[in-house]
Amino acid sequence: MTISLAAEEVLHLGGFPVTNTLLTGFLVSAFLVIFSFLVIRRISLVPTGFQNIVELLIESFLDLVEKVSGSQKRRFFPFVATFFFFILFSNWTELLPGVGSLGFWREGQGEKVFIPFLRAATADLNTTLALALVSVAAVHILGFRELGVGKYLSKYFKNPLKEPMNAFVGLLELISEFAKIISFSFRLFGNIFAGEVLLIVVAFLAPLIAPLPFLGLEIFVGFIQALVFSLLTLVFLTMAVEEAH
Amino acid sequence: MDLQLLAAALAIGLGALGPGIGIGIIGGKAMEAIGRNPDAENQIRTNMFIGIAFAEAVAIYALVVALIIKFV
């Protein structure tokens, strides 16, 4: 039973190492694109059948976005929903049979190591770090565009002579922006990686009925983590465009 | 006495104390709120899950540190 924190490389594309998480990430993206394409192809104003279900999902998420951001829901919805659906399906990939179990053996440091072909994309710190960076960068870029450079920066840098307390708070908020990046990436990575390790260990110890409640837990955790990531991004986006009070 | 094993065990063991208590408090307050206002059950439940996810994240940080100590 090999558990590796870092994603393992499975192919080499002309000097570029392709890891199993990268592969899975591409597959999830391709799935989402093809799925959307298939739904859009025969779209009608009065929804029937499958389109009903998809509209239900999209509308319930839109309602959630509206509760948090109110009038700006149309503006933030595509961005936040993309995070939600990509992270959701990436998280749920760890539950599919074959992910983490189908692979090959490789000689490494004198002993054979098992390298799976597929591994959940969000179980790689690189993916979650990238998502966190995009999220935090988007919040700040939006803030700059909306309020103007000077006004947005005055949220963090205040004059220490006129208002010393607020200047200190502003500095803390600046540091907390970096803490957000770490927090976003580690929360998602930790939950999904720990979930994978949990599933491997339980399957190793008692393969027959015992994994069932843990699989249920992982379905739930995958959903909640996707929701938390998207909601937090939405909350920060909403806060970035409002005037300082 | 293998210090690495001890460190990993302590990291997750102590790291789960705070979040455990925190999640209990969040759950308890949510129960109280539902008792006072049963109509708002759905709203309360949704917000409770979000609160629990944040509290749990701290435990996950501890778990990641334990895993790094053990496997890296």
Side-chain angles (χ1 to χ4, degrees), chain A residues 157-216:
Chain A
F157 298 104
K158 304 202 166 94
N159 193 342
L161 299 171
K162 288 189 207 143
E163 30 176 20
M165 211 43 224
N166 274 337
F168 183 62
V169 168
L171 206 59
L172 279 184
E173 294 220 354
L174 188 64
I175 297 178
S176 104
E177 291 297 319
F178 290 102
K180 271 181 207 164
I181 302 175
I182 308 277
S183 160
F184 264 140
S185 51
F186 270 98
R187 183 187 307 119
L188 186 55
F189 167 65
N191 267 294
I192 304 307
F193 179 65
E196 274 197 351
V197 170
L198 180 65
L199 288 178
I200 291 177
V201 168
V202 166
F204 187 68
L205 291 176
L208 203 47
I209 313 257
L212 284 176
F214 294 102
L215 285 168

Short mmCIF file of all heavy atoms in Angstrom, two decimals, chain A residues 157-216:
data_model
loop_
_atom_site.label_atom_id
_atom_site.label_comp_id
_atom_site.label_asym_id
_atom_site.label_seq_id
_atom_site.Cartn_x
_atom_site.Cartn_y
_atom_site.Cartn_z
N PHE A 157 -3.89 50.15 3.19
CA PHE A 157 -2.85 51.04 3.69
C PHE A 157 -3.48 52.32 4.17
O PHE A 157 -3.93 53.14 3.39
CB PHE A 157 -1.84 51.35 2.58
CG PHE A 157 -1.13 50.14 2.07
CD1 PHE A 157 -1.47 49.58 0.85
CD2 PHE A 157 -0.15 49.54 2.82
CE1 PHE A 157 -0.82 48.47 0.38
CE2 PHE A 157 0.51 48.41 2.36
CZ PHE A 157 0.17 47.88 1.14
N LYS A 158 -3.53 52.45 5.50
CA LYS A 158 -4.12 53.68 6.04
C LYS A 158 -3.03 54.49 6.72
O LYS A 158 -2.02 53.96 7.14
CB LYS A 158 -5.22 53.32 7.03
CG LYS A 158 -6.28 52.41 6.41
CD LYS A 158 -7.57 52.49 7.15
CE LYS A 158 -8.68 51.87 6.34
NZ LYS A 158 -8.93 50.48 6.65
N ASN A 159 -3.26 55.76 6.85
CA ASN A 159 -2.24 56.65 7.39
C ASN A 159 -2.08 56.40 8.89
O ASN A 159 -3.01 56.61 9.65
CB ASN A 159 -2.67 58.10 7.14
CG ASN A 159 -1.53 59.07 7.38
OD1 ASN A 159 -0.54 58.73 8.03
ND2 ASN A 159 -1.67 60.25 6.85
N PRO A 160 -0.89 55.95 9.31
CA PRO A 160 -0.74 55.62 10.73
C PRO A 160 -0.74 56.84 11.66
O PRO A 160 -0.92 56.69 12.85
CB PRO A 160 0.62 54.90 10.79
CG PRO A 160 1.32 55.29 9.56
CD PRO A 160 0.29 55.60 8.54
N LEU A 161 -0.54 58.04 11.07
CA LEU A 161 -0.54 59.22 11.95
C LEU A 161 -1.96 59.63 12.31
O LEU A 161 -2.25 60.03 13.42
CB LEU A 161 0.19 60.38 11.26
CG LEU A 161 1.66 60.10 10.94
CD1 LEU A 161 2.25 61.20 10.07
CD2 LEU A 161 2.46 59.97 12.23
N LYS A 162 -2.88 59.49 11.29
CA LYS A 162 -4.24 59.96 11.56
C LYS A 162 -5.07 58.91 12.30
O LYS A 162 -5.86 59.23 13.17
CB LYS A 162 -4.94 60.30 10.23
CG LYS A 162 -4.42 61.56 9.60
CD LYS A 162 -5.28 61.98 8.42
CE LYS A 162 -4.43 62.78 7.43
NZ LYS A 162 -4.80 62.50 6.06
N GLU A 163 -4.91 57.63 11.89
CA GLU A 163 -5.72 56.58 12.52
C GLU A 163 -4.86 55.35 12.76
O GLU A 163 -4.86 54.43 11.95
CB GLU A 163 -6.95 56.24 11.66
CG GLU A 163 -6.73 56.45 10.19
CD GLU A 163 -7.92 56.02 9.35
OE1 GLU A 163 -9.03 55.91 9.87
OE2 GLU A 163 -7.70 55.75 8.18
N PRO A 164 -4.12 55.35 13.87
CA PRO A 164 -3.14 54.28 14.11
C PRO A 164 -3.77 52.90 14.21
O PRO A 164 -3.23 51.92 13.71
CB PRO A 164 -2.48 54.68 15.44
CG PRO A 164 -3.40 55.66 16.05
CD PRO A 164 -4.11 56.34 14.95
N MET A 165 -4.95 52.80 14.85
CA MET A 165 -5.59 51.51 15.03
C MET A 165 -5.96 50.90 13.68
O MET A 165 -5.67 49.74 13.40
CB MET A 165 -6.84 51.71 15.89
CG MET A 165 -7.21 50.54 16.76
SD MET A 165 -5.82 49.82 17.57
CE MET A 165 -6.18 48.12 17.31
N ASN A 166 -6.57 51.72 12.83
CA ASN A 166 -6.98 51.21 11.52
C ASN A 166 -5.79 50.86 10.64
O ASN A 166 -5.87 49.95 9.82
CB ASN A 166 -7.85 52.25 10.80
CG ASN A 166 -9.31 52.11 11.20
OD1 ASN A 166 -9.72 51.05 11.65
ND2 ASN A 166 -10.06 53.18 11.06
N ALA A 167 -4.69 51.59 10.84
CA ALA A 167 -3.50 51.27 10.05
C ALA A 167 -3.01 49.87 10.39
O ALA A 167 -2.63 49.09 9.51
CB ALA A 167 -2.41 52.30 10.32
N PHE A 168 -3.05 49.55 11.69
CA PHE A 168 -2.62 48.21 12.11
C PHE A 168 -3.55 47.15 11.55
O PHE A 168 -3.12 46.10 11.07
CB PHE A 168 -2.58 48.18 13.65
CG PHE A 168 -2.10 46.89 14.20
CD1 PHE A 168 -0.82 46.44 13.91
CD2 PHE A 168 -2.92 46.10 14.98
CE1 PHE A 168 -0.35 45.25 14.41
CE2 PHE A 168 -2.46 44.90 15.49
CZ PHE A 168 -1.18 44.47 15.20
N VAL A 169 -4.87 47.44 11.62
CA VAL A 169 -5.85 46.49 11.09
C VAL A 169 -5.63 46.28 9.60
O VAL A 169 -5.72 45.16 9.09
CB VAL A 169 -7.28 47.00 11.38
CG1 VAL A 169 -8.29 46.21 10.60
CG2 VAL A 169 -7.58 46.92 12.85
N GLY A 170 -5.33 47.38 8.89
CA GLY A 170 -5.09 47.29 7.46
C GLY A 170 -3.91 46.38 7.15
O GLY A 170 -3.95 45.58 6.21
N LEU A 171 -2.86 46.49 7.99
CA LEU A 171 -1.69 45.64 7.79
C LEU A 171 -2.04 44.17 8.01
O LEU A 171 -1.65 43.29 7.24
CB LEU A 171 -0.60 46.08 8.77
CG LEU A 171 0.83 45.79 8.36
CD1 LEU A 171 1.12 46.47 7.04
CD2 LEU A 171 1.78 46.29 9.43
N LEU A 172 -2.83 43.93 9.06
CA LEU A 172 -3.26 42.55 9.34
C LEU A 172 -4.08 41.99 8.18
O LEU A 172 -3.95 40.83 7.81
CB LEU A 172 -4.08 42.49 10.62
CG LEU A 172 -3.32 42.49 11.93
CD1 LEU A 172 -4.28 42.33 13.08
CD2 LEU A 172 -2.29 41.38 11.93
N GLU A 173 -4.94 42.85 7.61
CA GLU A 173 -5.76 42.39 6.50
C GLU A 173 -4.90 42.05 5.30
O GLU A 173 -5.18 41.09 4.56
CB GLU A 173 -6.79 43.46 6.11
CG GLU A 173 -7.80 43.72 7.17
CD GLU A 173 -9.20 43.91 6.60
OE1 GLU A 173 -9.32 43.96 5.37
OE2 GLU A 173 -10.13 44.00 7.40
N LEU A 174 -3.81 42.82 5.11
CA LEU A 174 -2.91 42.52 4.00
C LEU A 174 -2.28 41.14 4.18
O LEU A 174 -2.22 40.33 3.25
CB LEU A 174 -1.83 43.60 3.94
CG LEU A 174 -0.92 43.55 2.73
CD1 LEU A 174 -1.73 43.81 1.49
CD2 LEU A 174 0.18 44.58 2.85
N ILE A 175 -1.81 40.88 5.42
CA ILE A 175 -1.22 39.56 5.69
C ILE A 175 -2.25 38.47 5.51
O ILE A 175 -1.96 37.38 5.00
CB ILE A 175 -0.64 39.54 7.12
CG1 ILE A 175 0.48 40.56 7.22
CG2 ILE A 175 -0.14 38.16 7.47
CD1 ILE A 175 1.09 40.65 8.59
N SER A 176 -3.50 38.77 5.91
CA SER A 176 -4.53 37.73 5.83
C SER A 176 -4.86 37.39 4.38
O SER A 176 -5.36 36.30 4.09
CB SER A 176 -5.77 38.14 6.61
OG SER A 176 -6.78 38.56 5.75
N GLU A 177 -4.57 38.32 3.44
CA GLU A 177 -4.79 37.99 2.04
C GLU A 177 -3.88 36.85 1.61
O GLU A 177 -4.28 35.95 0.86
CB GLU A 177 -4.53 39.21 1.14
CG GLU A 177 -5.54 40.31 1.29
CD GLU A 177 -6.94 39.88 0.88
OE1 GLU A 177 -7.08 39.17 -0.13
OE2 GLU A 177 -7.90 40.23 1.60
N PHE A 178 -2.64 36.87 2.11
CA PHE A 178 -1.74 35.76 1.80
C PHE A 178 -2.16 34.49 2.53
O PHE A 178 -2.09 33.39 1.97
CB PHE A 178 -0.30 36.13 2.15
CG PHE A 178 0.27 37.17 1.25
CD1 PHE A 178 0.36 38.49 1.65
CD2 PHE A 178 0.68 36.83 -0.03
CE1 PHE A 178 0.86 39.46 0.80
CE2 PHE A 178 1.18 37.79 -0.88
CZ PHE A 178 1.27 39.11 -0.46
N ALA A 179 -2.64 34.68 3.76
CA ALA A 179 -3.11 33.52 4.51
C ALA A 179 -4.28 32.86 3.79
O ALA A 179 -4.46 31.64 3.86
CB ALA A 179 -3.52 33.93 5.91
N LYS A 180 -5.08 33.69 3.07
CA LYS A 180 -6.21 33.11 2.34
C LYS A 180 -5.76 32.11 1.30
O LYS A 180 -6.39 31.08 1.11
CB LYS A 180 -6.98 34.23 1.62
CG LYS A 180 -8.06 34.85 2.42
CD LYS A 180 -8.75 35.90 1.60
CE LYS A 180 -9.35 36.95 2.50
NZ LYS A 180 -9.70 38.16 1.80
N ILE A 181 -4.65 32.46 0.60
CA ILE A 181 -4.16 31.56 -0.45
C ILE A 181 -3.80 30.21 0.17
O ILE A 181 -4.22 29.15 -0.31
CB ILE A 181 -2.94 32.16 -1.16
CG1 ILE A 181 -3.28 33.52 -1.76
CG2 ILE A 181 -2.41 31.23 -2.22
CD1 ILE A 181 -2.10 34.22 -2.37
N ILE A 182 -3.03 30.27 1.29
CA ILE A 182 -2.62 29.03 1.94
C ILE A 182 -3.85 28.27 2.42
O ILE A 182 -3.98 27.05 2.23
CB ILE A 182 -1.73 29.35 3.17
CG1 ILE A 182 -0.59 30.27 2.78
CG2 ILE A 182 -1.24 28.08 3.79
CD1 ILE A 182 0.56 29.57 2.18
N SER A 183 -4.78 29.02 3.04
CA SER A 183 -5.95 28.38 3.63
C SER A 183 -6.80 27.70 2.57
O SER A 183 -7.19 26.54 2.71
CB SER A 183 -6.75 29.45 4.38
OG SER A 183 -8.06 29.03 4.58
N PHE A 184 -7.10 28.42 1.48
CA PHE A 184 -7.88 27.83 0.38
C PHE A 184 -7.25 26.53 -0.11
O PHE A 184 -7.90 25.50 -0.22
CB PHE A 184 -7.90 28.80 -0.81
CG PHE A 184 -9.11 29.67 -0.89
CD1 PHE A 184 -8.98 31.00 -1.25
CD2 PHE A 184 -10.37 29.18 -0.64
CE1 PHE A 184 -10.08 31.83 -1.34
CE2 PHE A 184 -11.48 30.00 -0.73
CZ PHE A 184 -11.32 31.32 -1.09
N SER A 185 -5.93 26.62 -0.44
CA SER A 185 -5.31 25.47 -1.09
C SER A 185 -5.22 24.30 -0.13
O SER A 185 -5.53 23.16 -0.50
CB SER A 185 -3.93 25.83 -1.64
OG SER A 185 -3.16 26.45 -0.67
N PHE A 186 -4.83 24.56 1.15
CA PHE A 186 -4.66 23.43 2.06
C PHE A 186 -5.98 22.82 2.49
O PHE A 186 -6.06 21.62 2.73
CB PHE A 186 -3.83 23.83 3.28
CG PHE A 186 -2.38 23.60 3.04
CD1 PHE A 186 -1.56 24.64 2.66
CD2 PHE A 186 -1.84 22.34 3.16
CE1 PHE A 186 -0.22 24.43 2.42
CE2 PHE A 186 -0.50 22.12 2.92
CZ PHE A 186 0.30 23.16 2.55
N ARG A 187 -7.04 23.66 2.62
CA ARG A 187 -8.32 23.09 3.02
C ARG A 187 -8.78 22.07 1.98
O ARG A 187 -9.12 20.94 2.29
CB ARG A 187 -9.37 24.18 3.18
CG ARG A 187 -10.71 23.67 3.67
CD ARG A 187 -11.76 24.73 3.66
NE ARG A 187 -11.32 25.91 4.40
CZ ARG A 187 -11.19 27.10 3.88
NH1 ARG A 187 -11.46 27.31 2.61
NH2 ARG A 187 -10.80 28.11 4.62
N LEU A 188 -8.76 22.48 0.70
CA LEU A 188 -9.23 21.58 -0.35
C LEU A 188 -8.31 20.37 -0.50
O LEU A 188 -8.75 19.22 -0.54
CB LEU A 188 -9.32 22.35 -1.66
CG LEU A 188 -9.93 21.60 -2.83
CD1 LEU A 188 -11.28 21.07 -2.48
CD2 LEU A 188 -10.01 22.51 -4.03
N PHE A 189 -6.98 20.65 -0.54
CA PHE A 189 -6.03 19.55 -0.71
C PHE A 189 -6.15 18.56 0.44
O PHE A 189 -6.23 17.35 0.24
CB PHE A 189 -4.61 20.10 -0.78
CG PHE A 189 -3.54 19.06 -0.65
CD1 PHE A 189 -3.39 18.08 -1.60
CD2 PHE A 189 -2.69 19.04 0.45
CE1 PHE A 189 -2.42 17.11 -1.48
CE2 PHE A 189 -1.71 18.09 0.58
CZ PHE A 189 -1.57 17.12 -0.39
N GLY A 190 -6.15 19.09 1.68
CA GLY A 190 -6.18 18.22 2.85
C GLY A 190 -7.39 17.34 2.86
O GLY A 190 -7.31 16.13 3.08
N ASN A 191 -8.57 17.94 2.61
CA ASN A 191 -9.80 17.16 2.64
C ASN A 191 -9.78 16.04 1.62
O ASN A 191 -10.10 14.89 1.93
CB ASN A 191 -11.01 18.06 2.38
CG ASN A 191 -11.60 18.57 3.67
OD1 ASN A 191 -12.12 17.81 4.46
ND2 ASN A 191 -11.48 19.85 3.89
N ILE A 192 -9.39 16.36 0.37
CA ILE A 192 -9.49 15.35 -0.67
C ILE A 192 -8.38 14.32 -0.55
O ILE A 192 -8.60 13.11 -0.71
CB ILE A 192 -9.49 16.01 -2.06
CG1 ILE A 192 -10.60 17.04 -2.12
CG2 ILE A 192 -9.67 14.98 -3.14
CD1 ILE A 192 -11.94 16.49 -1.73
N PHE A 193 -7.15 14.77 -0.21
CA PHE A 193 -6.06 13.81 -0.07
C PHE A 193 -6.31 12.88 1.11
O PHE A 193 -6.15 11.66 1.00
CB PHE A 193 -4.73 14.55 0.11
CG PHE A 193 -3.57 13.65 0.28
CD1 PHE A 193 -3.17 12.82 -0.76
CD2 PHE A 193 -2.87 13.60 1.47
CE1 PHE A 193 -2.10 11.98 -0.61
CE2 PHE A 193 -1.79 12.77 1.62
CZ PHE A 193 -1.40 11.95 0.59
N ALA A 194 -6.76 13.47 2.24
CA ALA A 194 -7.06 12.63 3.40
C ALA A 194 -8.18 11.66 3.06
O ALA A 194 -8.19 10.51 3.51
CB ALA A 194 -7.45 13.50 4.59
N GLY A 195 -9.15 12.11 2.25
CA GLY A 195 -10.23 11.22 1.84
C GLY A 195 -9.71 10.05 1.04
O GLY A 195 -10.12 8.90 1.24
N GLU A 196 -8.77 10.34 0.11
CA GLU A 196 -8.20 9.25 -0.67
C GLU A 196 -7.45 8.27 0.21
O GLU A 196 -7.60 7.05 0.07
CB GLU A 196 -7.23 9.81 -1.72
CG GLU A 196 -7.88 10.23 -2.98
CD GLU A 196 -6.86 10.38 -4.11
OE1 GLU A 196 -5.66 10.31 -3.85
OE2 GLU A 196 -7.31 10.54 -5.23
N VAL A 197 -6.63 8.80 1.14
CA VAL A 197 -5.87 7.93 2.04
C VAL A 197 -6.83 7.09 2.87
O VAL A 197 -6.63 5.88 3.05
CB VAL A 197 -4.96 8.77 2.95
CG1 VAL A 197 -4.36 7.94 4.04
CG2 VAL A 197 -3.88 9.43 2.14
N LEU A 198 -7.91 7.72 3.35
CA LEU A 198 -8.90 7.01 4.16
C LEU A 198 -9.51 5.85 3.37
O LEU A 198 -9.62 4.72 3.87
CB LEU A 198 -9.99 7.98 4.60
CG LEU A 198 -11.12 7.42 5.44
CD1 LEU A 198 -10.60 6.97 6.77
CD2 LEU A 198 -12.18 8.49 5.63
N LEU A 199 -9.87 6.13 2.12
CA LEU A 199 -10.48 5.08 1.30
C LEU A 199 -9.50 3.94 1.05
O LEU A 199 -9.86 2.76 1.11
CB LEU A 199 -10.98 5.66 -0.02
CG LEU A 199 -12.21 6.55 0.08
CD1 LEU A 199 -12.57 7.11 -1.27
CD2 LEU A 199 -13.38 5.81 0.66
N ILE A 200 -8.23 4.29 0.78
CA ILE A 200 -7.22 3.25 0.55
C ILE A 200 -7.05 2.40 1.80
O ILE A 200 -7.03 1.16 1.74
CB ILE A 200 -5.86 3.88 0.15
CG1 ILE A 200 -5.95 4.52 -1.22
CG2 ILE A 200 -4.76 2.85 0.17
CD1 ILE A 200 -4.68 5.21 -1.63
N VAL A 201 -6.93 3.06 2.96
CA VAL A 201 -6.66 2.30 4.19
C VAL A 201 -7.85 1.41 4.53
O VAL A 201 -7.67 0.23 4.89
CB VAL A 201 -6.36 3.28 5.35
CG1 VAL A 201 -6.38 2.56 6.66
CG2 VAL A 201 -5.03 3.94 5.13
N VAL A 202 -9.07 1.92 4.41
CA VAL A 202 -10.24 1.11 4.73
C VAL A 202 -10.38 -0.05 3.77
O VAL A 202 -10.67 -1.18 4.18
CB VAL A 202 -11.52 1.98 4.72
CG1 VAL A 202 -12.75 1.12 4.72
CG2 VAL A 202 -11.53 2.89 5.92
N ALA A 203 -10.12 0.20 2.49
CA ALA A 203 -10.20 -0.88 1.51
C ALA A 203 -9.13 -1.92 1.77
O ALA A 203 -9.31 -3.11 1.51
CB ALA A 203 -10.08 -0.32 0.10
N PHE A 204 -7.99 -1.47 2.30
CA PHE A 204 -6.90 -2.39 2.61
C PHE A 204 -7.25 -3.26 3.81
O PHE A 204 -6.94 -4.43 3.86
CB PHE A 204 -5.64 -1.56 2.90
CG PHE A 204 -4.40 -2.35 3.08
CD1 PHE A 204 -3.84 -3.05 2.02
CD2 PHE A 204 -3.76 -2.40 4.31
CE1 PHE A 204 -2.68 -3.78 2.19
CE2 PHE A 204 -2.60 -3.13 4.47
CZ PHE A 204 -2.05 -3.82 3.42
N LEU A 205 -7.92 -2.64 4.81
CA LEU A 205 -8.20 -3.38 6.04
C LEU A 205 -9.42 -4.29 5.90
O LEU A 205 -9.40 -5.44 6.31
CB LEU A 205 -8.47 -2.40 7.20
CG LEU A 205 -7.27 -1.60 7.67
CD1 LEU A 205 -7.70 -0.62 8.73
CD2 LEU A 205 -6.21 -2.51 8.21
N ALA A 206 -10.52 -3.75 5.35
CA ALA A 206 -11.76 -4.53 5.30
C ALA A 206 -12.46 -4.24 3.99
O ALA A 206 -13.32 -3.36 3.92
CB ALA A 206 -12.67 -4.14 6.47
N PRO A 207 -12.11 -4.96 2.92
CA PRO A 207 -12.58 -4.55 1.59
C PRO A 207 -14.06 -4.77 1.34
O PRO A 207 -14.57 -4.22 0.39
CB PRO A 207 -11.76 -5.43 0.64
CG PRO A 207 -10.81 -6.19 1.44
CD PRO A 207 -11.20 -6.12 2.86
N LEU A 208 -14.78 -5.59 2.16
CA LEU A 208 -16.08 -6.00 1.67
C LEU A 208 -17.21 -5.00 1.91
O LEU A 208 -17.74 -4.44 0.97
CB LEU A 208 -16.45 -7.36 2.29
CG LEU A 208 -17.48 -8.11 1.46
CD1 LEU A 208 -17.12 -8.11 -0.01
CD2 LEU A 208 -17.59 -9.54 1.93
N ILE A 209 -17.65 -4.76 3.13
CA ILE A 209 -18.81 -3.86 3.34
C ILE A 209 -18.36 -2.55 3.99
O ILE A 209 -19.00 -1.55 3.81
CB ILE A 209 -19.86 -4.54 4.26
CG1 ILE A 209 -20.11 -5.94 3.81
CG2 ILE A 209 -21.12 -3.72 4.32
CD1 ILE A 209 -21.39 -6.14 3.07
N ALA A 210 -17.25 -2.62 4.73
CA ALA A 210 -16.82 -1.46 5.51
C ALA A 210 -16.60 -0.19 4.70
O ALA A 210 -16.87 0.88 5.22
CB ALA A 210 -15.56 -1.82 6.30
N PRO A 211 -16.09 -0.23 3.45
CA PRO A 211 -15.87 1.03 2.75
C PRO A 211 -17.14 1.81 2.46
O PRO A 211 -17.04 3.00 2.15
CB PRO A 211 -15.20 0.61 1.44
CG PRO A 211 -14.60 -0.70 1.70
CD PRO A 211 -15.49 -1.36 2.67
N LEU A 212 -18.33 1.19 2.52
CA LEU A 212 -19.54 1.90 2.10
C LEU A 212 -19.80 3.22 2.84
O LEU A 212 -20.00 4.24 2.21
CB LEU A 212 -20.76 0.99 2.20
CG LEU A 212 -20.86 -0.05 1.09
CD1 LEU A 212 -22.04 -0.96 1.32
CD2 LEU A 212 -20.98 0.63 -0.26
N PRO A 213 -19.81 3.24 4.20
CA PRO A 213 -20.04 4.52 4.86
C PRO A 213 -18.96 5.55 4.56
O PRO A 213 -19.25 6.75 4.48
CB PRO A 213 -20.07 4.18 6.35
CG PRO A 213 -19.54 2.82 6.47
CD PRO A 213 -19.72 2.14 5.18
N PHE A 214 -17.71 5.05 4.34
CA PHE A 214 -16.65 6.01 4.03
C PHE A 214 -16.82 6.59 2.64
O PHE A 214 -16.52 7.76 2.41
CB PHE A 214 -15.29 5.33 4.18
CG PHE A 214 -15.00 4.95 5.59
CD1 PHE A 214 -15.14 3.65 6.03
CD2 PHE A 214 -14.62 5.91 6.51
CE1 PHE A 214 -14.91 3.31 7.33
CE2 PHE A 214 -14.39 5.57 7.82
CZ PHE A 214 -14.53 4.26 8.25
N LEU A 215 -17.32 5.78 1.69
CA LEU A 215 -17.60 6.32 0.36
C LEU A 215 -18.69 7.37 0.45
O LEU A 215 -18.62 8.43 -0.18
CB LEU A 215 -18.02 5.19 -0.58
CG LEU A 215 -16.89 4.29 -1.08
CD1 LEU A 215 -17.45 3.06 -1.75
CD2 LEU A 215 -16.00 5.05 -2.03
N GLY A 216 -19.72 7.08 1.28
CA GLY A 216 -20.78 8.07 1.49
C GLY A 216 -20.23 9.36 2.07
O GLY A 216 -20.55 10.46 1.62
#
